[in-house]
Amino acid sequence: MLYVCLVHFDDKQVFSRLSETEKRELDIASTGYDRELAASGNLIRAQALQAPESAVLVRVRDGKISATDGPFLETKEQLGGFILIEARDLNDAIRIAGGIPLARHGTIEVRPIYQVPQHENAAS
Amino acid sequence: MSRRVDIEAVWRTESRRVLATLIRLLRDFDRAEEALNDAFLAAAEQWPRDGMPANPRAWLVSAGRFKAIDKLRRKARFDVVAAELALEEEAQMPPETEAIADDQLRLIFVCCHPEVPADARIAMTLRETCGLMTEEIAAAFLAKPTAIAQRIVRAKNRIRELQLPYEVPEPQDLAERLDAVLRTIYLIFNEGYAASHGASLLRADLCAEAIRLGRLLVALLPNPDAEVEGLLALMLLQHSRRDARTDAAGDLVLIADQDRRLWDRAEIAEGVALVNRLLARPELTAYGIEAAIAAQHAIAASPDATNWGEIVKLYDLLLRADASPIVMLNRAVAIAMRDGPEAGLSEMEAIRQRGALAEFRYLHAARADLLRRLGRTQEAREAYAAALALTHQAAEQRFLEGRLREL
């Protein structure tokens, strides 16, 4: 089963509170955990994101494309990265999410992947 | 030399046993689950190349344990607790093979520990000892996966916080602890049994899992236990009727109207043999008596051939072990079959006068049936309506509506 672990945290709070050494350790632990998940066969893809201010919001309305400044939601904890995993079931995914080093500072949202039904092409 | 290795098959037969042992060795559910995954990953890599080891289970246990120690050692660079655990693990003796058989029992007893919340015991047992996925358990209990997942997380936290011992209870505690285990297994069975036919196609076969757990307990407990054998017999005998309980439309068929050729003869034989062994003992236990009643139904060639006298006697015995209104109601139904509807009805009036079971749909339905047979149509109609108002299950509603129409 596929799940995505969405890593939410308050980057300003986390990075102002941690010392340089602690930040470095968090980075090492995070990449270390990605490697561990790769070795255990659970990892599909892990990616950290740039700061929320770097986001661009894209919409198409009446055939016109618009691009505005992000982030999408003005919340304290922002999406900071994601890990797409293969896990046995939801509790296995929760166990894996609990091992993500940033779970100690923020919140990991575990979402099962939705399999979009394959529809027959309507145009015949 | 290359050998085909079916890792999936090994997972099905060995993963629960290996997990049970890893939980003992690593003293943590999550660490054990991680180690189990790593062990099977290593097996998938090495076995096709080197061939299957002589003892796959022992290989998987030691591979999982080695991987867990290795991870702790690497974490130890950042983490004092991990460093201590790694040292402890290395100092531990390698697993003795004798203890491994007991690990599955230890796992069942900790999943059904009285300190684990009752609603979590079922989920823990099905996931950890039967290997069902969280999503499958949720589908079987018509619950949301997130709700089941949280129950499991909380239960594991509780086991960790209270440091619940991973052991088979001492003889003086065994009866009480076993009672919690048997209750859990029977709840799993009843959930599967009560599932309406149509919905059950999508639901994991809870009855089969419960029977498997019952067999496991019978095989693993050091001394044959009458309650465990009684429960296993009861489940086998009830399960033997599963194909006859509903018709093609998914509607309920009462035991008197069932096509007995559809009953599973192998399960009946196994259940009846267990009952005969239990009857040879000086004392019958509650599950044993219920199994003996089910056996009376199972061995009757036709509804008319049912030995209702023997069934009433068994209910008398059961009342002494369990004086609940539900047992009284079942006894009243048996008395009606032995002595006629009038006699059964007066037993039911006694239950009603005690104020018991007013909200229990089967009391109203059973009363309605006797009133119908006595030709007291208006009273029967009222009783069917009362039963119908208390029923939420579609198949039961159709059955009661059918009876009402026939009046």
Side-chain angles (χ1 to χ4, degrees):
Chain A
M1 305 265 283
L2 293 176
Y3 302 85
V4 67
C5 302
L6 301 170
V7 181
H8 301 271
F9 62 98
D10 182 342
D11 59 343
K12 295 192 181 62
Q13 239 250 323
V14 168
F15 291 119
S16 64
R17 206 176 49 204
L18 296 183
S19 72
E20 284 308 310
T21 323
E22 285 170 326
K23 274 187 237 175
R24 201 168 51 243
E25 277 175 6
L26 184 58
D27 284 341
I28 293 169
S30 294
T31 47
Y33 193 60
D34 291 349
R35 266 201 304 277
E36 217 174 273
L37 290 181
S40 64
N42 293 112
L43 185 76
I44 310 279
R45 180 93 205 199
Q47 218 68 76
L49 304 180
Q50 291 188 22
E53 297 78 52
S54 66
V56 181
L57 305 177
V58 178
R59 294 183 180 90
V60 176
R61 298 288 183 274
D62 301 323
K64 272 198 320 197
I65 187 165
S66 73
T68 50
D69 280 355
F72 182 52
L73 292 172
E74 292 295 341
T75 53
K76 272 174 83 185
E77 292 200 333
Q78 291 280 349
L79 184 64
F82 68 87
I83 307 181
L84 181 61
I85 56 166
E86 166 84 43
R88 197 171 79 76
D89 66 358
L90 184 53
N91 279 96
D92 196 29
I94 290 171
R95 172 185 66 76
I96 290 168
I100 297 173
L102 269 162
R104 295 182 208 176
H105 303 281
T107 307
I108 317 296
E109 182 181 358
V110 176
R111 295 271 291 267
I113 293 302
Y114 176 66
Q115 297 290 348
V116 180
Q118 297 295 308
H119 299 291
E120 292 283 311
N121 194 341
S124 56
Chain B
M1 183 182 64
S2 114
R3 284 181 234 175
R4 262 183 59 83
V5 176
D6 189 349
I7 297 282
E8 284 287 316
V10 179
W11 172 274
R12 280 195 299 277
T13 57
E14 299 298 340
S15 70
R16 294 305 104 189
R17 297 183 220 208
V18 174
L19 178 72
T21 297
L22 286 172
I23 293 170
R24 170 169 58 84
L25 293 173
L26 302 171
R27 295 185 302 283
D28 185 87
F29 274 85
D30 284 353
R31 222 178 295 142
E33 187 163 345
E34 192 178 352
L36 177 73
N37 291 344
D38 288 341
F40 270 89
L41 199 72
E45 223 172 80
Q46 294 179 32
W47 293 1
R49 190 182 64 215
D50 307 338
M52 188 114 125
N55 185 342
R57 193 182 307 162
W59 190 100
L60 288 163
V61 167
S62 89
R65 184 167 169 270
F66 171 79
K67 295 270 181 190
I69 294 171
D70 192 46
K71 268 187 188 165
L72 284 171
R73 209 186 284 131
R74 271 185 284 134
K75 254 184 219 146
R77 280 179 300 185
F78 312 107
D79 192 333
V80 186
V81 181
E84 279 172 12
L85 277 170
L87 283 175
E88 256 178 66
E89 291 300 339
E90 279 172 297
Q92 247 190 29
M93 293 295 288
E96 340 78 88
T97 42
E98 294 215 342
I100 289 182
D102 279 350
D103 285 330
Q104 277 191 294
L105 268 184
R106 293 188 177 97
L107 182 53
I108 295 176
F109 276 109
V110 83
C111 287
C112 299
H113 197 284
E115 291 289 348
V116 172
D119 65 354
R121 286 177 211 160
I122 291 174
M124 282 291 286
T125 303
L126 284 173
R127 185 171 187 275
E128 310 307 327
T129 70
C130 301
L132 260 58
M133 288 159 54
T134 307
E135 285 86 345
E136 290 174 328
I137 300 167
F141 283 87
L142 308 176
K144 283 167 65 180
T146 49
I148 300 292
Q150 286 165 56
R151 264 179 225 173
I152 291 171
V153 168
R154 279 198 293 267
K156 286 180 181 172
N157 282 340
R158 194 153 174 85
I159 290 170
R160 199 175 298 137
E161 278 158 22
L162 298 176
Q163 299 184 348
L164 295 183
Y166 197 61
E167 64 189 17
V168 178
E170 296 295 318
Q172 69 268 19
D173 304 324
L174 190 64
E176 195 195 334
R177 293 284 307 278
L178 199 52
D179 188 52
V181 172
L182 297 184
R183 246 173 238 271
T184 304
I185 294 176
Y186 199 34
L187 281 172
I188 292 171
F189 182 85
N190 279 327
E191 183 66 28
Y193 199 66
S196 72
H197 189 72
S200 68
L201 290 177
L202 293 172
R203 299 170 68 167
D205 194 347
L206 294 178
C207 292
E209 293 298 339
I211 288 172
R212 219 164 57 82
L213 284 165
R215 284 215 175 94
L216 193 66
L217 276 181
V218 168
L220 292 180
L221 281 173
N223 299 306
D225 181 278
E227 278 292 74
V228 178
E229 292 186 353
L231 176 60
L232 177 59
L234 176 60
M235 292 192 298
L236 284 166
L237 290 165
Q238 287 184 346
H239 197 235
S240 72
R241 297 198 295 266
R242 68 190 170 282
D243 292 336
R245 284 178 69 234
T246 47
D247 61 18
D251 285 340
L252 284 184
V253 182
L254 293 183
I255 190 164
D257 304 325
Q258 288 175 9
D259 181 352
R260 295 182 181 221
R261 287 168 304 180
L262 296 176
W263 292 1
D264 186 315
R265 292 294 141 193
E267 283 181 335
I268 290 176
E270 192 184 350
V272 168
L274 278 167
V275 167
N276 284 337
R277 238 165 59 202
L278 291 171
L279 290 173
R281 291 183 177 222
E283 193 122 343
L284 264 180
T285 60
Y287 287 124
I289 300 167
E290 286 191 66
I293 294 167
Q296 283 297 332
H297 289 294
I299 60 175
S302 69
D304 296 337
T306 309
N307 187 344
W308 290 105
E310 192 57 37
I311 291 178
V312 172
K313 264 192 241 163
L314 287 164
Y315 274 121
D316 287 339
L317 263 181
L318 188 56
L319 263 187
R320 262 185 268 159
D322 173 16
S324 72
I326 292 186
V327 174
M328 290 173 69
L329 172 62
N330 287 328
R331 181 173 165 276
V333 172
I335 285 175
M337 294 308 292
R338 187 188 64 179
D339 304 333
E342 201 86 62
L345 208 52
S346 80
E347 294 286 333
M348 285 182 200
E349 289 313 316
I351 302 172
R352 270 155 56 90
Q353 263 153 32
R354 285 178 28 164
L357 300 183
E359 299 291 310
F360 190 60
R361 59 188 189 268
Y362 294 126
L363 171 64
H364 298 286
R367 254 191 94 236
D369 186 51
L370 298 185
L371 290 164
R372 177 184 61 86
R373 281 154 61 188
L374 288 168
R376 289 155 68 174
T377 311
Q378 186 50 37
E379 287 168 275
R381 195 168 283 139
E382 283 162 20
Y384 276 126
L388 195 56
L390 293 166
T391 300
H392 302 292
Q393 218 203 12
E396 282 182 19
Q397 284 168 347
R398 283 196 301 274
F399 174 81
L400 292 168
E401 283 160 1
R403 281 289 155 102
L404 261 175
R405 271 196 305 275
E406 283 163 21
L407 276 176

